[in-house]
Amino acid sequence: VSDRTNVIGRPRRRVDGRAKVTGRTIFADDIMLPRMLHCRLLRSPHPHARLRSVDTSRAVAAEGVHLVLTGDSFPIPYGILPVSHDEHALCRDLVRFVGDPVAAVIANDEAAAERASDLIDVEYESLRTFASPTDSLEHSEPRIHDYGDFGNVHRAVALQFGDVDDAIAGADHVFDDVFFFEGNTHLPIEQHATVALKDLDGKLVVYSSTQTPHYLHRALAKALAVPAAHIRVIATPNGGGFGGKSDPFNHEIVVAKAALLLDRPVKVCLSREEVFYCHRGRHPVLMRFRTGVTKDGKIAGLDLQTLLDGGAYGSYGVASTFYTGALQTVTYQIPKYRFRGCRVFTNKPPCGPKRGHGTPQSRFGQEVQLDKIAEFLKKDPADLRLDIVAPPDSLTANYLRVRTIGLADCIRKVVDRSGWKEKFRKLAQGRGVGLACSSYLSGAGLPINWNDLPHSGVQLKLDRSGGVTAFCGATEIGQGSDDVLASIVAEVLGIQPFDIRVVTGDTDLTPVDLGSYSSRVTLMMGNAAIQAAERAREIIADAVSARLEVPATRLVFADGRVFDSENPDRGATFQEAVCMAEARVGTIGTTGSYTPPKSPAKFKGGGVGPSPTYSYTAAVVEVDVDPETGWITVPRVWIAHDIGRALNPTLVRGQVEGSVYMGLGEALMEEQAFRRLPARLSQALVHKFPSLLEYKSLTSLDMPEIITDLIEHPDAEGPFGAKEVGQGPLLPIMPAVANAVYDAVGVRVDQVPVTPERILRALQAKAAGKAARTGPTSFPDVPWPEPLLVAPPWEGGDGRASNQTKGTSGRKPDAGIEATAGVRS
Amino acid sequence: VKIRLTCTVNGDAVDALVDDYKTLLEVLREDLRLTGTKHGCELGECGACAVLVDGQPVLSCLALAAASSGRTITTVEGLGADGQLHPLQECFADLGAAQCGYCTPGILMTAKALLDREPLPSRERICEALSGNLCRCTGYLQIFEAVEAAAQRLSDSGRKEAP
């Protein structure tokens, strides 16, 4: 790949831009088919109850009703992680949160389905409801699930890398802080929708607003006991995902079953309220950071505890738990580290992955604590961080491999651009600046289902028309993955993205890509695309070389031509070149695939955190705080992101700005919070504000000016050097806001969101001579397991735990997908 | 109960029998199969369903179709003309103003109403006009820039066409 590029690195209209501005992109709910029926789910009004009986007889007899399903039709459980297949498409014995579906009505139209669902008689036996993690820790009965570590604890994990207690005891200063990060939700403007039907030959087809068609494919095969080869999942472009469409969902499985039974297309589209209850969003996390620091501001050791409110199901929760402790070490040098994380079940909608998956919460704690450390040591927080940035090409204490790291450049860039040195601790009372940093994966290094198969595949078809079609299972969720695919293939073949047709997210037509999550698509699909395109280029070059009698190594693919670099007039158009190749070798098709490098982490739990490479971000946020009211506004944000290389700067900027926007929402106002209804209404735990109007998010009027800089040091792991950008830039925003509030008015808000009310409470506490902060004050006693002891690399460790008994990773390989129907043991 | 709806949609005369309870959004999407207009809440909160009724932006999820009789309705499908995209569409596509594209039709129609009223609006006026349209992807800035670029392009071509 030459350094000069024609497509890569240039700001361009995305390949699907025209479809999107003409309203012609077909989202799942835009699919309307002849004879199509509509489905509504009947959801539990109880947060925790035994299902005594579900009587559907009146509903079945209602006008326009074709089918009523209950949990009886769904004996096989499923779930996204192999360790927590704890969901049934419709509840069978227990309902675990308000919104858990107990029955489904399929009728001529939505209104008929809705009316009939009111005629289903369900008898519930209320059970004790668990509303908070401390509640779930303190009471082990009744259990929300009959699996998990103990009682209502889903998973408690402990990992120790070196003698942390010794390091902290020997440190010059010890900082012990407790933080809380409230849950929040993705809020995609498109509500989840699915259309299922039997194809002409009787096989199941499912169109769905899913970020992960491959995992939905697996879940359908398992839950419906239908061979995967007889199921086609087509991911429609997602109208926003942000992680919220990454689980296989009950409504998807329900309409698939209904379509199989009725042999008619069946559609479901969730209401906005249902989307709030679907959730799988940010876990509320309580965390305690105990950090030993040397007098010059180096970290001697970190002891981190996190407590996650998981909600009612497993979802990605085990991974989320490990993620709260995974990435602290890839930004800063931490020679000794202990992480203990605990996820509990509660009777609320399940939490899962939202942009940043498990890492924003502890990133908030870490970056706010660093601000406090800098304050105490009278060091500039930017300088403090610059002195401890992790080195490139290194292994961290927890065996994550850092490749290129542009974090120091990011910090210097935002310091310079924001005028930090003139502003920090120097602005007028009420105005302040705060700085924070972050890092994120460029794709999870390990697959969800442990196997040796590639994570991404790309297939190319070329023919005499000169047309190129690129096939990949990746899913366009707005982030621009179709554009990445087209631009990389175009660059390698010397043509334009418009010359390429992309076919994506279709399990019948496209090779497997694991999905649009963990910021994996650009790197993994991109590398697979390069391999496929280079193989095609080689076939074409050989043919042109033979025909024109020019050595293949001298041929250049550029500007829609294939020509001799020493005599550019000697060559062929791209179409002519493809014809030469087709005549020479027959039908042309190539494939490429990508599997991430093996992780050096061999301990159980080490599968969460590894990535081929990490992106880095630094941000400075400026705030205005009214000391009388606590009212906070953000006029300006400076952000620098180490992306390795920007493939399409227009889209990259959009990802950075969109991340800042979403981060500000989390920092200032977004809350997925619950309240209990009064006793006469069953004391149900319901969402406080399940509507777009009351769940506050930033509008156009709230947006600050954003000054974005990209740091481009190409990373050898990434396609054309590219790293991720979809998630990392969100992470520094929340702590930078909290740090800026301190700079503005001298109070600490050690929790998210940083609301005017909390600022005001801290100001009042300060005025009363109490601690100038709001936030949690203690971390509960968690019965932690003995930590796995892993010696860090610099203490002679080999990535294994010295006290781990079984297996290397504790994971058993699987066959890639359920090949035949059957219940898993 | 079905009612008769006669109106003009994107320049085409419509004469249809529709359910009397249906919103304009439902009739556009389900009866006329103009699925470019989206829904995000069906409660008038997100702006995804904005269309123009007699040139004014209207949340079609809150408007009864019956109330649209005799009106002129424009949806995103009618924004371009003579086989060309509208400058707003060109600029949105070129400048990254559409990511997932779901809120885009509503924002385009709201912006069109603004530019029809105010050919060269300030950034503040654009923010204000779009404050009822939620977008979760972009952070709005590229949308503002696209509206400004389109306004400039429309104003330039207007000057050129003037005698």
Side-chain angles (χ1 to χ4, degrees):
Chain A
V1 175
S2 81
D3 285 345
R4 200 182 75 86
T5 56
N6 293 306
V7 178
I8 296 302
R10 296 172 183 233
R12 271 185 312 103
R13 173 187 290 196
R14 55 195 291 160
V15 292
D16 51 355
R18 189 178 194 280
K20 287 177 173 174
V21 299
T22 50
R24 290 179 64 185
T25 301
I26 300 298
F27 297 93
D29 192 45
D30 298 336
I31 296 170
M32 300 187 194
L33 300 170
R35 303 179 72 239
M36 189 168 79
L37 301 172
H38 297 265
C39 171
R40 294 294 297 160
L41 299 177
L42 176 70
R43 295 175 183 275
S44 167
H46 295 275
H48 197 192
R50 196 166 299 287
L51 274 180
R52 276 221 177 111
S53 64
V54 183
D55 179 355
T56 62
S57 52
R58 290 196 302 145
V60 169
E63 198 188 328
V65 172
H66 292 256
L67 179 68
V68 181
L69 292 170
T70 66
D72 290 343
S73 298
F74 300 96
I76 306 171
Y78 65 92
I80 184 67
L81 298 189
V83 293
S84 40
H85 280 206
D86 61 359
E87 299 183 54
H88 291 268
L90 296 171
C91 294
R92 290 167 64 80
D93 47 354
L94 286 179
V95 290
R96 296 180 171 90
F97 71 98
V98 169
D100 227 358
V102 295
V105 180
I106 291 88
N108 286 336
D109 53 43
E110 275 189 306
E114 187 82 51
R115 277 195 303 272
S117 69
D118 288 343
L119 301 175
I120 299 173
D121 300 302
V122 187
E123 235 187 299
Y124 296 95
E125 177 193 336
S126 260
L127 297 171
R128 186 189 195 289
T129 301
F130 296 89
S132 72
T134 42
D135 206 2
S136 301
L137 276 175
E138 283 164 15
H139 301 276
S140 54
E141 294 290 336
R143 294 185 79 185
I144 295 171
H145 285 281
D146 59 6
Y147 80 106
D149 279 353
F150 52 90
N152 283 307
V153 171
H154 177 200
R155 184 58 65 88
V157 301
L159 301 169
Q160 180 165 321
F161 309 92
D163 193 337
V164 177
D165 295 319
D166 185 59
I168 291 176
D172 297 320
H173 309 285
V174 178
F175 292 82
D176 193 344
D177 291 288
V178 188
F179 301 97
F180 179 65
F181 199 111
E182 179 60 284
N184 53 58
T185 199
H186 319 83
L187 207 76
I189 307 295
E190 179 207 27
Q191 299 125 302
H192 306 52
T194 306
V195 178
L197 64 144
K198 267 193 197 176
D199 210 344
L200 299 183
D201 54 2
K203 295 201 282 268
L204 177 64
V205 180
V206 176
Y207 293 87
S208 195
S209 54
T210 177
Q211 299 177 230
T212 53
H214 172 65
Y215 296 133
L216 176 56
H217 193 195
R218 290 184 64 122
L220 287 165
K222 187 191 178 207
L224 300 177
V226 172
H230 298 166
I231 300 174
R232 178 182 185 183
V233 176
I234 300 169
T236 46
N238 288 198
F242 317 113
K245 294 168 182 167
S246 312
D247 283 65
F249 283 103
N250 43 51
H251 60 266
E252 296 173 316
I253 293 165
V254 165
V255 293
K257 178 80 181 180
L260 286 176
L261 290 172
L262 295 167
D263 194 8
R264 290 182 68 166
V266 180
K267 178 193 276 188
V268 64
C269 181
L270 301 190
S271 70
R272 177 52 58 184
E273 187 174 12
E274 286 178 294
V275 174
F276 277 99
Y277 283 96
C278 237
H279 193 41
R280 318 284 164 149
R282 188 82 74 224
H283 284 76
V285 177
L286 182 68
M287 56 210 136
R288 179 179 177 188
F289 277 80
R290 216 159 57 86
T291 307
V293 180
T294 65
K295 57 182 181 306
D296 57 348
K298 301 271 195 321
I299 296 172
L302 167 61
D303 180 17
L304 169 63
Q305 297 176 72
T306 62
L307 178 59
L308 293 80
D309 184 345
Y313 287 97
S315 184
Y316 284 78
V318 173
S320 317
T321 305
F322 280 110
Y323 272 129
T324 63
L327 300 189
Q328 277 61 42
T329 53
V330 299
T331 40
Y332 310 117
Q333 298 173 47
I334 300 176
K336 293 173 201 287
Y337 179 41
R338 179 167 57 219
F339 163 64
R340 289 172 291 184
C342 175
R343 182 182 196 259
V344 300
F345 291 121
T346 55
N347 295 115
K348 295 186 284 192
C351 298
K354 184 188 170 194
R355 210 171 191 172
H357 192 190
T359 72
Q361 297 96 328
S362 46
R363 178 59 60 187
F364 173 77
Q366 186 176 25
E367 296 292 325
V368 173
Q369 191 181 52
L370 282 176
D371 206 62
K372 297 182 184 187
I373 293 170
E375 166 85 0
F376 179 84
L377 296 177
K378 300 189 168 48
K379 275 190 87 159
D380 183 297
D383 296 336
L384 179 106
R385 287 174 172 83
L386 282 170
D387 288 346
I388 57 172
V389 164
D393 298 313
S394 63
L395 268 186
T396 66
N398 55 341
Y399 288 85
L400 303 180
R401 190 175 293 289
V402 174
R403 305 277 180 177
T404 56
I405 167 165
L407 181 55
D409 288 342
C410 291
I411 295 171
R412 284 189 282 264
K413 180 61 88 173
V414 292
V415 162
D416 177 48
R417 293 274 265 169
S418 66
W420 173 262
K421 298 282 176 191
E422 291 74 51
K423 289 180 176 159
F424 179 67
R425 300 289 189 264
K426 289 174 186 159
L427 294 172
Q429 169 76 0
R431 172 160 285 205
V433 287
L435 181 145
C437 302
S438 69
S439 174
Y440 201 67
L441 321 164
S442 299
L446 279 86
I448 284 176
N449 300 280
W450 193 85
N451 56 50
D452 294 333
L453 304 170
H455 290 214
S456 189
V458 169
Q459 205 164 356
L460 295 184
K461 180 220 131 201
L462 299 83
D463 70 26
R464 61 197 77 175
S465 69
V468 178
T469 310
F471 300 87
C472 179
T475 305
E476 176 57 60
I477 62 170
Q479 86 282 42
S481 58
D482 281 2
D483 193 69
V484 169
L485 178 59
S487 63
I488 285 177
V489 173
E491 183 64 52
V492 174
L493 296 179
I495 53 182
Q496 287 299 309
F498 188 66
D499 300 330
I500 292 165
R501 187 173 302 280
V502 295
V503 178
T504 52
D506 182 330
T507 61
D508 258 15
L509 303 183
T510 62
V512 169
D513 174 277
L514 295 181
S516 290
Y517 66 97
S518 87
S519 276
R520 49 177 298 290
V521 174
T522 290
L523 188 136
M524 299 197 189
M525 176 192 73
N527 281 326
I530 287 179
Q531 188 177 60
E534 287 184 342
R535 286 172 175 171
R537 192 174 61 181
E538 201 178 306
I539 292 169
I540 297 167
D542 285 348
V544 173
S545 164
R547 184 75 66 93
L548 301 184
E549 294 171 350
V550 173
T553 49
R554 262 183 24 205
L555 290 173
V556 173
F557 287 63
D559 305 324
R561 292 182 70 236
V562 181
F563 56 90
D564 183 355
S565 59
E566 293 180 8
N567 178 9
D569 289 341
R570 190 174 176 78
T573 65
F574 182 76
Q575 185 189 356
E576 290 163 353
V578 175
C579 287
M580 291 176 200
E582 197 177 337
R584 189 163 186 261
V585 303
T587 304
I588 307 171
T590 62
T591 61
S593 37
Y594 179 78
T595 307
K598 288 257 180 288
S599 163
K602 307 291 183 216
F603 54 90
K604 188 174 180 182
V608 177
S611 175
T613 186
Y614 300 88
S615 76
Y616 292 90
T617 317
V620 168
V621 170
E622 187 171 315
V623 299
D624 279 319
V625 179
D626 183 336
E628 299 298 313
T629 61
W631 192 253
I632 172 172
T633 53
V634 176
R636 223 159 278 105
V637 174
W638 295 266
I639 186 162
H641 182 68
D642 164 23
I643 188 167
R645 180 130 185 228
L647 300 182
N648 182 344
T650 305
L651 303 196
V652 169
R653 207 190 115 202
Q655 288 301 309
V656 174
E657 291 176 354
S659 292
V660 171
Y661 151 83
M662 198 166 274
L664 285 172
E666 298 196 17
L668 300 171
M669 57 189 81
E670 295 189 30
E671 287 182 274
Q672 171 93 347
F674 294 82
R675 66 189 174 96
R676 273 199 192 273
L677 294 179
R680 65 187 166 82
L681 294 169
S682 81
Q683 288 203 311
L685 268 176
V686 296
H687 198 293
K688 269 189 184 170
F689 15 69
S691 89
L692 282 170
L693 200 60
E694 292 158 287
Y695 177 94
K696 297 297 180 197
S697 63
L698 268 68
T699 71
S700 55
L701 290 169
D702 305 310
M703 276 309 288
E705 185 186 348
I706 302 173
I707 297 94
T708 301
D709 283 288
L710 300 178
I711 304 296
E712 298 190 74
H713 303 311
D715 189 295
E717 296 295 321
F720 296 95
K723 308 203 241 186
E724 78 88 34
V725 63
Q727 308 191 63
L730 177 147
L731 309 175
I733 301 304
M734 295 76 82
V737 166
N739 292 341
V741 166
Y742 182 75
D743 190 46
V745 290
V747 298
R748 292 286 178 189
V749 179
D750 290 337
Q751 75 190 92
V752 164
V754 181
T755 58
E757 184 207 354
R758 288 175 184 146
I759 296 173
L760 193 58
R761 240 188 298 135
L763 285 166
Q764 287 163 348
K766 187 184 182 189
K770 297 183 202 145
R773 80 181 278 273
T774 46
T777 50
S778 65
F779 192 94
D781 283 329
V782 175
W784 296 115
E786 273 304 303
L788 286 182
L789 302 173
V790 184
W794 41 86
E795 292 176 20
D798 63 355
R800 286 169 214 282
S802 60
N803 58 343
Q804 183 175 327
T805 46
K806 61 164 192 181
T808 49
S809 66
R811 310 174 86 178
K812 287 190 209 77
D814 79 355
I817 193 162
E818 271 74 16
T820 53
V823 184
R824 204 183 253 221
S825 59
Chain B
V1 183
K2 299 271 188 190
I3 53 152
R4 184 173 175 186
L5 174 67
T6 54
C7 59
T8 305
V9 178
N10 299 330
D12 296 337
V14 168
D15 187 349
L17 286 178
V18 301
D19 289 321
D20 60 353
Y21 62 81
K22 278 193 168 180
T23 62
L24 177 56
L25 171 70
E26 288 167 327
V27 166
L28 287 171
R29 285 179 56 83
E30 296 164 12
D31 294 78
L32 304 181
R33 298 290 163 104
L34 293 169
T35 57
T37 302
K38 304 301 179 195
H39 55 77
C41 61
E42 295 171 71
L43 292 167
E45 297 167 349
C46 70
C49 66
V51 299
L52 302 185
V53 177
D54 293 339
Q56 294 301 310
V58 163
L59 298 177
S60 63
C61 75
L62 296 183
L64 271 181
S68 307
S69 225
R71 311 266 184 167
T72 298
I73 295 154
T74 311
T75 70
V76 70
E77 288 92 345
L79 190 51
D82 306 324
Q84 300 293 312
L85 297 186
H86 188 276
L88 275 166
Q89 292 172 304
E90 295 281 0
C91 294
F92 269 57
D94 285 339
L95 301 177
Q99 284 187 26
C100 80
Y102 197 83
C103 70
T104 308
I107 293 186
L108 284 167
M109 301 318 290
T110 310
K112 163 84 162 58
L114 171 69
L115 297 191
D116 287 347
R117 255 185 350 255
E118 286 180 56
L120 283 171
S122 66
R123 174 67 67 99
E124 289 66 30
R125 292 289 296 139
I126 296 169
C127 287
E128 240 173 69
L130 298 182
S131 62
N133 296 82
L134 297 182
C135 167
R136 286 293 273 176
C137 295
T138 61
Y140 299 105
L141 302 187
Q142 287 177 317
I143 292 174
F144 300 155
E145 290 169 15
V147 174
E148 287 164 352
Q152 198 59 53
R153 198 180 290 189
L154 280 163
S155 145
D156 291 350
S157 65
R159 260 201 307 275
K160 250 176 264 153
E161 279 161 27

